[in-house]
């Protein structure tokens, strides 16, 4: 076998098994060269919402290719970006009136951080503290790594990461500690923004907290003139049961970051939405107040067309009903693990479920993760536990049979550590 020149993400090539080559995708499945159907139980890293190769989205991409490729997005605009921006303003929490495009979750968060600092800079009262939640994840660029949880992933880069303030993750029953910590930081006066994943902290271990905490955090930020940046890169597009997680807290963040499911997962695209105050702080005949940010592929028309088709899917198809039924299917299947001593922290928010396998040593680098992963891989289930945390985040088209098979595999997998019941 010839060695591939490809360097894969989050991959230790010295330890991992050979890459499985995927030749086709359809619905909730990936198909390998041998024709095996692999259930994509994590939506190909959380991007595929409705299912792989949704016909409406694929058709929109094909159509857009007849008319567009990349078009410079300064001085020039195009209908897919214009129509998509109007569509996003209409479906996101009220008060988010401006849309800035970029191309990944990391970049839309970088944009948000720059908007927040630019807002205070242009207002003539600079603030530069960013507050985040412990165990947060916002991307792998230097800026978003700075804001995310520190650990083995970013130890090598630590010397060049900037400092942020961290709130303790809310422990059930002790949520007030998190609120008090935020209020104390805000009293210091320098807090520009709270950057937070609403309701579910994804890569940090699928940690869940109640909507009431999110609305109280927003109230504190507002009271002290700080901004809230909601990173809905993962939680957006129905994952938590509502189109956006912020809806459950009944809040409008000052800045909203969306990506992953924006195109239904078909093409890379991201958007940062913001309030009129933030846009207006950059609006001036003084050129130095310009928002100085761009990337070459800003608002790629084909990606925008895919996102427009995604909005159409949400309008035309009973996606909300599908999500509620998926939620219910998870709830009944998860029940058996709630009293199972092999598991702890059995949890669910909307269509996302997670549970910790009780293993001797937990943590991302414990060998529980790779062991579980190869167990599932051998059963044609794409599940990538975060250390000892098993989670499922399937496309919404997954069937009850596929879920049964998945839950049975989780049940069996836990025996690797418990030595049987
Ligand atoms: C995945 C993710 C990101 C980063 O998105 P990329 O497209 O991988 O850069 C940012 N924030 C959250 C909450 C995410 O889950």
């Amino acid at each position: 076998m010839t060695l591939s020149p490809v360097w894969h993400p989050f991959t230790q090539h010295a330890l991992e098994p050979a890459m499985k080559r995927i030749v086709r995708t359809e619905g909730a499945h990936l198909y390998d060269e041998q024709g095996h159907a692999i259930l994509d139980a994590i939506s190909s890293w959380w991007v595929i919402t409705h299912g792989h190769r949704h016909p409406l989205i694929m058709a929109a991409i094909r159509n857009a290719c007849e008319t567009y490729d990349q078009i410079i997005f300064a001085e020039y605009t195009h209908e897919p970006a214009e129509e998509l921006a109007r569509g996003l303003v209409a479906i996101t929490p009220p008060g988010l009136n401006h849309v800035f495009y970029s191309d990944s979750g990391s970049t839309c968060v970088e944009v948000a951080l720059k908007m927040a600092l630019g807002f205070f800079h242009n207002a003539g009262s600079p603030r530069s503290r960013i507050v985040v939640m412990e165990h947060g994840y916002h991307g792998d660029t230097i800026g978003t790594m700075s804001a995310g949880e520190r650990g083995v992933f970013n130890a090598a880069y630590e010397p060049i990461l900037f400092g942020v303030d961290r709130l303790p993750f809310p422990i059930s029953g002790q949520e007030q500690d998190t609120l008090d910590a935020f209020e104390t930081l805000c009293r210091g006066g320098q807090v520009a923004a709270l950057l937070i994943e609403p309701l579910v902290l994804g890569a940090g271990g699928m940690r869940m907290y109640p909507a009431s905490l999110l609305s109280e955090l927003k109230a504190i930020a507002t009271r002290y003139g700080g901004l809230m940046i909601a990173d809905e890169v993962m939680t957006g597009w129905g994952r938590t049961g509502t189109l956006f997680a912020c809806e459950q807290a009944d809040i409008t963040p000052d800045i909203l970051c969306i990506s992953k499911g924006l195109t239904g997962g078909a093409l890379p695209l991201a958007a940062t939405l913001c309030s009129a105050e933030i846009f207006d702080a950059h609006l001036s005949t003084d050129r130095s107040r310009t928002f100085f940010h761009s990337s070459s592929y800003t608002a790629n028309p084909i990606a925008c067309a895919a996102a427009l088709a995604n909005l159409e899917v949400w309008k035309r198809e009973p996606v909300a009903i599908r999500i509620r039924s998926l939620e219910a299917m998870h709830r009944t299947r998860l029940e058996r693990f709630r009293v199972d001593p092999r598991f702890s922290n059995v949890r669910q928010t909307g269509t996302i479920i997670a549970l910790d396998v009780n293993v001797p040593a937990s943590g991302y680098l414990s060998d529980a993760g790779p062991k579980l992963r190869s167990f599932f891989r051998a059963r044609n289930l794409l599940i990538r536990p975060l250390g000892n945390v098993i989670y499922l985040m399937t496309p919404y088209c997954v069937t009850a049979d596929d879920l049964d098979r998945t839950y049975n595999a989780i049940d069996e997998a836990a025996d690797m550590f418990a030595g049987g019941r």
Side-chain angles (χ1 to χ4, degrees), residues 256-317:
L256 174 70
C257 304
I258 53 177
S259 183
K260 292 191 171 125
L262 171 55
T263 59
L267 286 175
L269 184 68
T272 308
L273 285 84
C274 73
S275 65
E277 286 87 339
I278 292 167
F279 179 82
D280 290 347
H282 291 83
L283 188 63
S284 168
T285 49
D286 174 357
R287 286 180 198 282
S288 72
R289 288 170 171 251
T290 305
F291 186 54
F292 292 110
H293 190 93
S294 98
S295 45
S296 309
Y297 287 102
T298 301
N300 176 269
I302 301 164
C304 288
L308 273 170
N310 172 44
L311 295 195
E312 218 24 62
V313 173
W314 276 88
K315 265 182 220 147
R316 280 199 214 168
E317 297 185 10

Side-chain angles (χ1 to χ4, degrees), residues 18-93:
M19 296 286 153
K20 254 185 209 181
R21 197 170 288 240
I22 297 304
V23 295
R24 189 168 70 84
T25 63
E26 176 105 44
H29 295 90
L30 312 177
Y31 292 86
D32 68 11
E33 289 172 302
Q34 288 77 40
H36 298 124
I38 300 159
L39 179 70
D40 189 354
I42 60 165
S43 299
S44 279
W45 262 341
W46 319 346
V47 301
I48 303 293
T49 45
H50 312 293
H52 285 275
R53 285 197 310 118
H54 190 288
L56 212 64
I57 297 173
M58 293 296 113
I61 293 170
R62 275 193 293 274
N63 279 338
C65 288
E66 296 296 325
T67 321
Y68 307 106
D69 55 4
Q70 179 64 28
I71 302 164
I72 185 171
F73 207 58
E75 270 187 76
Y76 298 88
T77 193
H78 48 77
E79 192 50 26
E82 294 292 336
E83 194 184 340
L84 178 60
R86 289 193 296 271
L88 293 176
V89 166
I91 61 170
T92 49

Side-chain angles (χ1 to χ4, degrees), residues 77-415:
T77 193
H78 48 77
E79 192 50 26
E82 294 292 336
E83 194 184 340
L84 178 60
R86 289 193 296 271
L88 293 176
V89 166
I91 61 170
T92 49
L96 295 166
N97 299 328
H98 299 274
V99 180
F100 193 96
Y101 290 111
S102 58
D103 31 44
S104 74
S106 302
T107 53
C108 73
V109 175
E110 295 280 354
V111 164
L113 292 171
K114 285 175 72 171
M115 278 180 181
L117 264 73
F119 170 76
F120 289 104
H121 176 84
N122 289 347
S125 56
R127 294 186 183 198
S128 58
R129 295 306 296 177
I130 300 296
V131 181
V132 299
M133 193 175 266
E134 185 190 10
H135 304 300
Y137 176 82
H138 302 286
D140 278 342
T141 54
I142 297 294
T144 56
M145 261 196 301
S146 298
E149 183 77 359
R150 305 290 169 88
V152 65
F153 322 102
N154 38 43
Y157 328 113
E158 184 78 35
I160 59 165
L161 302 184
F162 57 78
V164 297
D165 295 305
R166 293 170 199 281
L167 304 180
F169 183 81
I171 298 166
S172 178
Q174 296 169 45
E175 285 88 357
Q176 193 57 41
D177 294 352
T178 303
L179 298 172
D180 291 347
F182 187 42
E183 183 131 23
T184 303
L185 288 169
C186 286
R187 278 208 199 96
Q190 282 298 305
V191 172
L194 171 66
L195 166 62
I196 192 167
E197 298 163 83
L199 304 191
V200 185
L201 273 54
M206 295 298 156
R207 292 166 202 262
M208 302 173 182
Y209 64 88
S212 55
L213 184 97
L214 188 64
S215 51
E216 288 174 80
L217 287 170
K218 173 67 175 111
I220 296 170
T222 304
R223 201 177 317 137
Y224 290 90
L227 305 174
M228 178 184 270
I229 303 170
D231 176 355
E232 293 233 28
V233 170
M234 182 202 78
T235 53
W237 306 105
R239 293 295 184 194
T240 67
T242 44
L243 183 53
F244 296 102
C246 283
E247 293 167 27
Q248 295 180 45
D250 205 13
I251 58 161
T252 297
D254 302 279
I255 304 178
L256 174 70
C257 304
I258 53 177
S259 183
K260 292 191 171 125
L262 171 55
T263 59
L267 286 175
L269 184 68
T272 308
L273 285 84
C274 73
S275 65
E277 286 87 339
I278 292 167
F279 179 82
D280 290 347
H282 291 83
L283 188 63
S284 168
T285 49
D286 174 357
R287 286 180 198 282
S288 72
R289 288 170 171 251
T290 305
F291 186 54
F292 292 110
H293 190 93
S294 98
S295 45
S296 309
Y297 287 102
T298 301
N300 176 269
I302 301 164
C304 288
L308 273 170
N310 172 44
L311 295 195
E312 218 24 62
V313 173
W314 276 88
K315 265 182 220 147
R316 280 199 214 168
E317 297 185 10
V319 183
I321 292 169
R322 223 173 269 157
I323 284 171
R324 271 199 295 282
S325 118
L326 178 56
E327 262 188 73
M329 287 200 287
H330 276 304
R331 194 169 302 114
T332 52
R333 284 165 182 76
L334 202 52
E335 207 49 51
R336 75 202 226 212
F337 297 136
R338 289 194 186 271
V339 291
D340 189 325
R342 299 171 304 159
F343 299 99
S344 42
N345 297 323
V346 177
R347 54 201 185 274
Q348 175 176 13
T349 300
T351 68
I352 307 170
I353 70 98
L355 64 177
D356 304 356
V357 183
N358 294 330
V359 296
S362 62
Y364 188 88
L365 290 191
S366 81
D367 64 354
K371 256 189 183 161
L372 287 164
R373 181 139 54 89
S374 55
F375 178 92
F376 293 125
R377 183 180 160 108
R379 282 153 187 79
N380 288 324
L381 293 167
L382 169 49
I383 298 176
R384 291 176 56 98
L386 300 159
N388 66 323
V389 178
I390 297 178
Y391 73 91
L392 301 176
M393 197 189 302
T394 71
Y396 305 143
C397 64
V398 71
T399 62
D401 284 350
D402 276 331
L403 283 186
D404 283 337
R405 190 162 77 82
T406 306
Y407 276 88
N408 287 338
I410 293 173
D411 198 333
E412 265 185 69
D415 281 341

